[in-house]
Amino acid sequence: MTTELGSDELIESAYAAYADPLLRWLTGSTRDRSAAEDITQEAFVRLVIEVRSGRVPDETGAWLFRVAQ
C-alpha cells in the first residue's frame, strides 16, 4: 500500500484487497467461521490504530496476516 493515500483511503483499500483472502485463510485455519470473522475484524481494528498513529506497514497484506496469526 502506498503512503500517499490518506489514512481512510489506505484502510479502505486494504480492506477491499485483503479482507476476503484473510477471512478465507482464517476460516481454513480455525475451522470456525465466527472465530475467523472476529479475528479478521480485530486485525483491521489494529490496522486502523497503526495507520492513524502514523505507522503505516510497509507490506499491509503481510502485516495483516501476521497480526491475525
Side-chain angles (χ1 to χ4, degrees):
M1 296 278 130
T2 177
T3 57
E4 296 173 9
L5 296 174
S7 63
D8 289 343
E9 292 85 6
L10 189 143
I11 294 162
E12 289 172 13
S13 178
Y15 189 83
Y18 302 114
D20 287 340
L22 183 59
L23 180 60
R24 282 192 304 273
W25 178 71
L26 286 166
T27 300
S29 296
T30 63
R31 300 190 192 283
D32 182 337
R33 175 72 181 210
S34 180
E37 290 170 349
D38 289 346
I39 297 166
T40 299
Q41 181 179 2
E42 182 62 28
F44 278 96
V45 166
R46 291 197 43 200
L47 178 64
V48 169
I49 292 167
E50 289 296 304
V51 169
R52 292 199 175 153
S53 296
R55 297 182 301 266
V56 178
D58 290 332
E59 296 292 333
T60 306
W63 186 90
L64 283 164
F65 276 81
R66 188 171 53 249
V67 165
Q69 186 176 23

